[in-house]
Amino acid sequence: MIPLLVVVLLALILFGAGFALKALWWIAVIVLIVWALGFVFRSAGSGGGRGRWYRW
């Protein structure tokens, strides 16, 4: 009974970790796309130069 519980627990942990890593990959891709679009659509700053599109 205990080996079965260990196997089930290990499968749940690995499934959860795999799902979390896949979700993190999708978040990273979305952030990369937003970051790249920021360079394309950034507004022109004062003095004719192109300004930063982020506020930090």
Side-chain angles (χ1 to χ4, degrees), residues 33-54:
I33 290 171
V34 170
W35 179 73
L37 286 175
F39 281 108
V40 175
F41 294 113
R42 61 185 175 180
S43 62
S46 61
R50 293 175 69 86
R52 291 188 184 107
W53 64 275
Y54 50 86

Side-chain angles (χ1 to χ4, degrees), residues 16-35:
F19 180 76
L21 287 175
K22 188 171 183 176
L24 286 176
W25 271 110
W26 279 111
I27 292 170
V29 167
I30 291 168
V31 168
L32 181 64
I33 290 171
V34 170
W35 179 73

Side-chain angles (χ1 to χ4, degrees), residues 8-9 16 18-19 38 45 47 55:
V8 169
L9 183 62
F19 180 76
R55 300 194 56 87

